[in-house]
Structure formats: structure tokens, C-alpha cells
Amino acid sequence: MKMRELFTASLYRFKELKNARFIGFGKALVYLIFLSFILAIPITGHVLSLFNDLKADGQEIAEKIPDFTIEEGKLAPTGDSEGFIYQTDSIIFTFDPAGKRSPDDITGDLLGNFISVGLLPDEIVIALPTSGITTSLLGSNHLEFPYAQGLTQLNGNHLREYLSEKTIPWWLILLIVLVSLYPAFINLVTTILIACIGASILSGIRRLQVGFLENLKILIFSATLPVILAALVSFFSLSFDTSFFIILASLFIYNQAAKGLPKRESQV
């Protein structure tokens, strides 16, 4: 059977999925990436929603930013602009040319999922919510960008224009999709392997003439409908345990597909 026919069978003709054991492993891997992409869609949607909220709050903050320039690596406000702290639904913004606050103070402003940004005398500090991903990738939950290192042309007008942009760049959307796809793929591979162990135990008990790799390919296609349903539920709740659901539902569908598999002959 072709992959298109197996995809159709995976939605309602479960017994035909036994034929998935005959396709090449490379094609099965491509199909697994396709399923991972489906699982990544809800994550991408939630992240884009967060970025849209940040953009809206950024436009609000842009109206508060005074004129300034960078002179000899230092924040130099124009006129008698004073420091201030401004909070929106998702961002806590600090403008502090006098140096009354430190990077630790900016990080300490974080509340829940807030992002804290501070324009300090010598640098920009961006503090992110503490998470395992943040720590593993960055080594810390805050970033420091000295003005003297590539930000000497920064000024109030440039920052206001950047924050006032209403659209998310296409490259950022692509990056979000790729970043979301990676954990979805790793999670799905782990889930399918666990389910395949269960399927191998079932096939052994029923004396089915099928090996681990063949079971794995059948499981990959058996996971199609569970993955689609899990993705739909995840749109409303990211806390939904997709792995447990996919394992149980895939094994149920595998059990239907296994009914057409040949059995080993009994040895006398």
C-alpha cells in the first residue's frame, strides 16, 4: 500500500494497517515527522499567541519611551527624561539612565509569565521566566547586552519604531515552527517506542509472525488518529497528557490491525 492509502486506512480502516509492515523504514520515518508536525501545531499556535500579546504590549510601551542615544557605551537620555518602570499584561519595562537598578533587580521583577526588560546605564537586560529549557539553552534566565558591543546606534526613535511594528516577521514564525517541531518529534518517538514494546508483548502472546521493526511501522501509522485527536485537545489545554493518550489509543488501533497478521505455526 502507498502512504496515502495507509493514511486513509489509519482514520477508519484499521485492519488494513497490517500492510504498513511492508513499507520502507525511511518512509515510516518521514511519516513520523509528519505526525510530529501535527503535534507541533498547537504549541506553535500558543507561542504565536504569546508573541502577539507581547507585540501589543510593546506598542503600548513604545508610547512611553523617551528620546535617548548611546554615547561612549552609555545610555544618554535627551533633555530631562527621568527613569521609570512601566508594566503591561506581559512585560515589565524599566528605563533607568541613572543606574538606580541592577540586572538582579530586573530579574527580580518577574511575576508568573512576565518578561522583564531593563534599559540600564551600560546595557539592556532581558529576564525570561525560569524554565528547564531557558536554563539549558542560555545557562541563565536573563540576558545582558552591553551597548558598547553592537548597540551603539540604538536610540529612542529606533526602539519605538521596532516596538510599534504590528506584524511578526516571517522568519520568526518559521523559527517558532522549527523549535516547536523538535520537542514534538522527540516526545512522539519516545511515545511510539514505548507503545511498540507493548505491541511486541501482545504479538508474542498471540504468537503473531511479526518482528519489532514491523510492529514499529504498524504503530507509527496506528498513531495517526490519536495524534490528530491529541493535537485538537492541546489547542484548548497544553497540560493534556498527549503521550499517555497516544500510547493507549495507538495500542487499541494496533490490536485491530493485528487481527489480520499471520500466526506462527505451533511446534510439536
Side-chain angles (χ1 to χ4, degrees):
M1 295 182 70
K2 297 181 179 179
M3 289 181 63
R4 182 178 66 254
E5 295 172 333
L6 285 171
F7 172 75
T8 303
S10 69
L11 300 178
Y12 59 93
R13 299 197 306 269
F14 302 146
K15 291 183 179 180
E16 296 181 18
L17 293 180
K18 63 181 183 294
N19 296 313
R21 71 189 192 276
F22 297 123
I23 71 167
F25 184 74
K27 291 183 178 180
L29 182 60
V30 170
Y31 193 81
L32 188 62
I33 295 174
F34 164 69
L35 294 182
S36 302
F37 177 77
I38 294 176
L39 275 182
I41 292 176
I43 302 174
T44 302
H46 283 282
V47 173
L48 286 176
S49 177
L50 173 61
F51 270 86
N52 283 325
D53 291 340
L54 290 174
K55 272 293 182 183
D57 289 345
Q59 293 169 28
E60 185 177 335
I61 290 173
E63 299 176 359
K64 307 294 181 181
I65 295 176
D67 290 327
F68 69 86
T69 56
I70 304 299
E71 299 179 2
E72 298 181 355
K74 298 286 185 179
L75 180 64
T78 303
D80 56 354
S81 300
E82 297 181 355
F84 65 89
I85 299 175
Y86 190 80
Q87 179 176 323
T88 66
D89 291 337
S90 59
I91 303 173
I92 299 176
F93 181 82
T94 298
F95 184 79
D96 181 28
K100 296 180 180 180
R101 312 196 75 208
S102 68
D104 289 339
D105 293 327
I106 302 301
T107 303
D109 288 337
L110 285 175
L111 296 172
N113 291 326
F114 281 131
I115 292 178
S116 182
V117 180
L119 267 65
L120 306 185
D122 302 309
E123 61 186 354
I124 295 178
V125 177
I126 301 176
L128 306 170
T130 303
S131 68
I133 296 177
T134 302
T135 304
S136 62
L137 292 180
L138 306 177
S140 172
N141 70 320
H142 74 269
L143 306 172
E144 299 181 17
F145 303 97
Y147 301 123
Q149 299 180 9
L151 295 175
T152 55
Q153 301 301 315
L154 181 67
N155 58 52
N157 186 52
H158 289 163
L159 188 56
R160 285 192 296 269
E161 288 181 355
Y162 175 76
L163 292 176
S164 296
E165 292 181 0
K166 297 182 179 180
T167 58
I168 299 177
W170 67 267
W171 59 265
L172 183 57
I173 296 176
L174 178 60
L175 179 62
I176 292 172
V177 171
L178 294 177
V179 170
S180 301
L181 181 61
Y182 175 74
F185 177 75
I186 297 300
N187 180 66
L188 186 57
V189 168
T190 304
T191 301
I192 294 296
L193 286 175
I194 293 174
C196 192
I197 294 173
S200 296
I201 294 173
L202 288 175
S203 63
I205 293 173
R206 297 169 63 177
R207 300 184 59 82
L208 299 177
Q209 194 174 346
V210 59
F212 184 86
L213 188 58
E214 293 173 313
N215 272 330
L216 182 61
K217 289 186 282 188
I218 296 173
L219 247 303
I220 290 174
F221 284 90
S222 297
T224 302
L225 187 57
V227 163
I228 294 174
L229 293 177
L232 289 174
V233 175
S234 295
F235 268 113
F236 304 97
S237 174
L238 280 178
S239 61
F240 177 66
D241 192 347
T242 57
S243 297
F244 184 69
F245 172 77
I246 291 172
I247 289 173
L248 290 182
S250 298
L251 284 175
F252 172 80
I253 294 174
Y254 169 85
N255 188 56
Q256 303 301 310
K259 292 178 180 179
L261 293 173
K263 292 187 177 183
R264 295 187 179 92
E265 296 182 1
S266 299
Q267 296 181 356
V268 181

